[in-house]
Amino acid sequence: MCSAKGCRADAEWVLAWNNPKLHTPQRRKTWLACEEHREHLSQFLGVRGFLKDVVRFEEWEAPRQES
């Protein structure tokens, strides 16, 4: 489901991000986005320097955490 406030649409995109003040460089948090909200959510993360990658939901493979 899309991460935009109030949106209930199916997610089509994964927005991978991290906040360098809080997360290690390898860590990736994710927001999900429908087509309508992909650009808005990407811009929100991008202007803060948090956005690392945007990929189609079906192509997303979460980075493996090393133990």
Side-chain angles (χ1 to χ4, degrees), residues 13-62:
W13 297 91
V14 176
L15 286 64
W17 63 278
N18 92 3
N19 179 340
K21 292 182 180 179
L22 302 175
H23 308 121
T24 62
Q26 302 80 15
R27 175 120 187 242
R28 291 296 181 265
K29 305 278 286 177
T30 57
W31 281 358
L32 302 177
C34 65
E35 188 63 42
E36 180 181 350
H37 293 111
R38 179 184 60 87
E39 187 63 31
H40 171 75
L41 293 174
S42 293
Q43 286 180 357
F44 180 89
L45 293 168
V47 297
R48 290 159 179 77
F50 295 173
L51 187 63
K52 302 301 179 193
D53 203 5
V54 178
V55 286
R56 286 227 168 251
F57 184 80
E58 61 271 4
E59 296 172 6
W60 172 251
E61 292 185 30

